[in-house]
Amino acid sequence: MKQVGEFWWRQGVFYQIYPRSFQDSNDDGVGDIRGVIDRLPYLQALGIDAIWLSPIFPSPMADFGYDIADYTGIDPLFGNMADFEALVAAAHESGLKLILDLVPNHTSDQHPWFIESRSSRDNPKRNWYIWHEPSADGGPPNNWLSEFGGSAWEYDAATRQYYYHAFLAKQPDLNWRNPEVHQAIHDVMRFWLGKGVDGFRVDVIWHLIKDANFRDNPPNPDFREGLPPSEKLLPLHTADQAEVHDAIAGMRHVVDEFPSRVLIGEIYLPPERLASYYGRDLGGAHLPFNFALLSAPWNARALEKIIHDYEAVLPTGAWPNWVLGNHDRPRVASRVGMEQARIAAMLLLTLRGTPTLYYGDEIGMHQVAIAPDQVRDPFEKNVPGIGVGRDGCRTPMQWDATRYAGFSRSTPWLPLPDDFRRENVVNLEADARSILNLYKALINLRRKLPQLTDGVYVPIAAQGDLLLYRRQSNDSSALIALNLGDEPVSIASEAAGLSGEILLSTFLDRQGEKVRGALDLRGNEGVIIGTAGAQVG
Ligand code: NOJ
């Protein structure tokens, strides 16, 4: 049964779709909205509750849709407004929520607002972007760096000033110190909320405000070769500024004008900073994305510490969340290996907080090797050779063993891996013990066991390769035992409350086995044990 009500996003499982790569319905090699509609039955069977769609708006695609030229349109590559409205209706009919990507930090340089803004110094939209005089020597106003390499300042010869861009020069930053910008973005939000979308994932929300005095960023003492050049400096004055919380509170007000909507923020910060994005009196983001697992050292002690540090800083009443993959980071199956990808799945679906899955992780898609002449990602093009490229985690969904994996009938925009004929949805659905069926079982169990959604997190042990914890609600509890290594592990302890019944093993083969004071885990095995009082069904 689907979770309904105001707080559906607490119980729900989120699933990110990178629309270019999910399903192509018109055979141009790029995924589209009709393609997503065609695949709703798959998502329904998987058991997820909400789809987050990466940007589908008109864009020159310099950063594949994160450079928006019209906030309230649909790029023809993805379809049209009627297609989008059909998607909202079909998703809702299927019991699925639909979340859009909101990219308020920057627009495309082709957005009419920027075209106006750059047209003259006294244009009414001049102050919608961040313009600055050159420094005394005519160079950039300060040392701020673009995330995608080089200075964050671009010179505009016509008006003889620089504009700021945290990402590409084709992505000028909006000026969030200007109330007109707030109003304009709020109107965009109301436009989509009025069409029935269930909320937003807000792109780089912690970047919105920059230092009013344009102070230089200090050097990063931990910088070393091999890191992206932007990390030479600490973003002290370009991100996570105190005033950003007012901007977020404003967005939250808009979301709250509509019933049961959710505001999610993209934020890469350590837990104690991340926690502030719930906002004063929890009036900020409902879910500031918690990306700690994306860079977690894959061992029991490190994971337990990550969970502890996150749980420890959550404000009272704040709802946690966990993310295992996204379109900017290497695939989980490549980070931790195929065997441990199953452990990662069990971890994600048994931690306290809303889980977000990235399309394809449920079939174990790995990072795809991209030949130099196939590189599409502007980050890799600007900063080649150190492994920042994001194409490898954005490749087409592998649906079946046909020529283009059932994704398209013409050459996809990014290549498919050699193993897609084996590793695809059709094959994995037929294999009772596949990772896909593990994901389905995990999502299903999470829905059935209230302690997995509502229960508190109780750490028990992180020893050697074993990570052991409990999810406990008033009258029911579940014990989760994860073997982070490939050697068997034996646990014998009454103290750990090790008795009950195995509800699920990552190998999908021990269901119903009784546990009495001792448990043997195979290498790379995780189990969920329903302990006394646990209700299933
Ligand atoms: C964060 C997005 O996730 C990423 O894909 C994009 O390149 C940057 N924001 C810039 O918009």
Side-chain angles (χ1 to χ4, degrees), residues 63 66 103 106 148 167 171 201 203-204 266 327-328 390 394:
D63 190 20
Y66 284 94
V103 189
H106 45 268
F148 288 161
F167 297 92
Q171 294 168 294
R201 169 270 189 191
D203 192 64
V204 294
E266 185 204 20
H327 63 293
D328 294 325
R390 302 170 295 176
R394 298 175 174 180

Short mmCIF file of all heavy atoms in Angstrom, two decimals, residues 63 66 103 106 148 167 171 201 203-204 266 327-328 390 394, ligand 1:
data_model
loop_
_atom_site.label_atom_id
_atom_site.label_comp_id
_atom_site.label_asym_id
_atom_site.label_seq_id
_atom_site.Cartn_x
_atom_site.Cartn_y
_atom_site.Cartn_z
N ASP A 63 25.37 22.04 -20.01
CA ASP A 63 25.54 21.17 -18.84
C ASP A 63 24.34 20.23 -18.74
O ASP A 63 23.82 19.94 -17.68
CB ASP A 63 25.68 22.02 -17.57
CG ASP A 63 26.11 21.19 -16.35
OD1 ASP A 63 26.65 20.09 -16.55
OD2 ASP A 63 25.91 21.65 -15.21
N TYR A 66 21.19 21.50 -16.89
CA TYR A 66 21.41 22.33 -15.70
C TYR A 66 21.79 23.76 -16.12
O TYR A 66 22.28 24.55 -15.32
CB TYR A 66 22.45 21.69 -14.78
CG TYR A 66 21.85 20.53 -14.02
CD1 TYR A 66 21.97 19.22 -14.48
CD2 TYR A 66 21.10 20.74 -12.86
CE1 TYR A 66 21.39 18.16 -13.80
CE2 TYR A 66 20.51 19.70 -12.18
CZ TYR A 66 20.65 18.40 -12.65
OH TYR A 66 20.05 17.37 -11.98
N VAL A 103 16.55 24.70 -10.60
CA VAL A 103 17.95 25.14 -10.70
C VAL A 103 17.99 26.66 -10.56
O VAL A 103 18.10 27.39 -11.55
CB VAL A 103 18.58 24.67 -12.04
CG1 VAL A 103 20.09 24.94 -12.05
CG2 VAL A 103 18.31 23.19 -12.28
N HIS A 106 21.66 29.41 -11.02
CA HIS A 106 22.16 29.97 -12.29
C HIS A 106 21.18 29.66 -13.40
O HIS A 106 20.38 28.74 -13.29
CB HIS A 106 23.53 29.39 -12.63
CG HIS A 106 23.60 27.90 -12.42
ND1 HIS A 106 24.01 27.33 -11.24
CD2 HIS A 106 23.28 26.86 -13.24
CE1 HIS A 106 23.96 26.00 -11.34
NE2 HIS A 106 23.51 25.69 -12.54
N PHE A 148 33.95 24.03 -12.38
CA PHE A 148 34.30 23.28 -13.59
C PHE A 148 35.64 23.74 -14.18
O PHE A 148 35.92 23.53 -15.36
CB PHE A 148 33.20 23.42 -14.64
CG PHE A 148 31.94 22.65 -14.30
CD1 PHE A 148 30.73 22.96 -14.91
CD2 PHE A 148 31.96 21.59 -13.41
CE1 PHE A 148 29.56 22.24 -14.63
CE2 PHE A 148 30.82 20.86 -13.11
CZ PHE A 148 29.62 21.20 -13.72
N PHE A 167 29.70 27.65 -12.11
CA PHE A 167 29.94 26.47 -12.96
C PHE A 167 30.47 26.98 -14.31
O PHE A 167 31.44 27.71 -14.33
CB PHE A 167 28.68 25.60 -13.02
CG PHE A 167 28.33 25.07 -11.64
CD1 PHE A 167 27.46 25.75 -10.79
CD2 PHE A 167 28.93 23.92 -11.16
CE1 PHE A 167 27.20 25.30 -9.50
CE2 PHE A 167 28.68 23.45 -9.88
CZ PHE A 167 27.81 24.14 -9.04
N GLN A 171 26.75 29.38 -17.65
CA GLN A 171 25.78 29.27 -16.56
C GLN A 171 25.97 30.43 -15.56
O GLN A 171 26.44 30.22 -14.44
CB GLN A 171 25.97 27.93 -15.82
CG GLN A 171 25.65 26.70 -16.65
CD GLN A 171 26.13 25.41 -15.99
OE1 GLN A 171 27.34 25.20 -15.85
NE2 GLN A 171 25.21 24.56 -15.59
N ARG A 201 13.65 19.14 -6.09
CA ARG A 201 15.02 18.93 -5.63
C ARG A 201 15.74 20.19 -6.11
O ARG A 201 15.74 20.51 -7.30
CB ARG A 201 15.59 17.66 -6.26
CG ARG A 201 17.09 17.46 -6.08
CD ARG A 201 17.87 18.09 -7.23
NE ARG A 201 19.28 17.72 -7.19
CZ ARG A 201 20.21 18.29 -7.94
NH1 ARG A 201 19.90 19.25 -8.80
NH2 ARG A 201 21.45 17.90 -7.87
N ASP A 203 18.80 22.40 -6.96
CA ASP A 203 20.20 22.28 -7.36
C ASP A 203 21.09 23.22 -6.53
O ASP A 203 20.73 24.38 -6.31
CB ASP A 203 20.28 22.66 -8.85
CG ASP A 203 21.60 22.31 -9.48
OD1 ASP A 203 21.93 21.11 -9.56
OD2 ASP A 203 22.32 23.24 -9.90
N VAL A 204 22.24 22.74 -6.13
CA VAL A 204 23.27 23.49 -5.36
C VAL A 204 22.69 24.58 -4.45
O VAL A 204 23.13 25.73 -4.47
CB VAL A 204 24.37 24.07 -6.29
CG1 VAL A 204 25.18 22.94 -6.92
CG2 VAL A 204 23.88 25.00 -7.37
N GLU A 266 20.04 20.05 -2.60
CA GLU A 266 21.34 19.43 -2.90
C GLU A 266 22.42 20.18 -2.13
O GLU A 266 22.64 21.37 -2.35
CB GLU A 266 21.65 19.51 -4.40
CG GLU A 266 22.93 18.75 -4.74
CD GLU A 266 23.65 19.19 -6.00
OE1 GLU A 266 23.41 20.33 -6.47
OE2 GLU A 266 24.46 18.43 -6.51
N HIS A 327 23.70 11.46 -10.46
CA HIS A 327 24.26 11.66 -11.80
C HIS A 327 25.60 12.40 -11.79
O HIS A 327 26.12 12.73 -12.85
CB HIS A 327 23.24 12.44 -12.64
CG HIS A 327 22.99 13.81 -12.08
ND1 HIS A 327 22.37 14.03 -10.88
CD2 HIS A 327 23.31 15.03 -12.56
CE1 HIS A 327 22.33 15.32 -10.63
NE2 HIS A 327 22.89 15.96 -11.64
N ASP A 328 26.12 12.70 -10.61
CA ASP A 328 27.40 13.41 -10.51
C ASP A 328 28.51 12.55 -9.93
O ASP A 328 29.66 12.98 -9.92
CB ASP A 328 27.24 14.65 -9.60
CG ASP A 328 26.33 15.70 -10.19
OD1 ASP A 328 26.33 15.86 -11.43
OD2 ASP A 328 25.60 16.36 -9.42
N ARG A 390 31.54 12.60 -15.60
CA ARG A 390 30.29 12.06 -15.06
C ARG A 390 29.49 11.26 -16.09
O ARG A 390 28.42 10.76 -15.79
CB ARG A 390 29.45 13.21 -14.51
CG ARG A 390 30.19 13.99 -13.41
CD ARG A 390 29.47 15.27 -13.04
NE ARG A 390 29.45 16.21 -14.16
CZ ARG A 390 28.81 17.38 -14.14
NH1 ARG A 390 28.16 17.75 -13.06
NH2 ARG A 390 28.83 18.18 -15.18
N ARG A 394 26.00 8.06 -16.32
CA ARG A 394 24.80 8.61 -16.96
C ARG A 394 24.41 7.82 -18.20
O ARG A 394 23.67 8.32 -19.05
CB ARG A 394 25.05 10.07 -17.35
CG ARG A 394 25.33 10.98 -16.18
CD ARG A 394 25.70 12.38 -16.63
NE ARG A 394 25.82 13.29 -15.49
CZ ARG A 394 26.14 14.58 -15.57
NH1 ARG A 394 26.37 15.11 -16.77
NH2 ARG A 394 26.22 15.32 -14.49
C1 NOJ B 1 24.61 20.15 -9.57
C2 NOJ B 1 24.12 19.15 -10.55
O1 NOJ B 1 23.78 17.97 -9.88
C3 NOJ B 1 25.22 18.96 -11.58
O2 NOJ B 1 24.91 17.91 -12.46
C4 NOJ B 1 25.40 20.26 -12.31
O3 NOJ B 1 26.47 20.13 -13.22
C5 NOJ B 1 25.70 21.39 -11.34
N1 NOJ B 1 24.78 21.40 -10.24
C6 NOJ B 1 25.59 22.71 -12.02
O4 NOJ B 1 24.23 22.97 -12.26
#
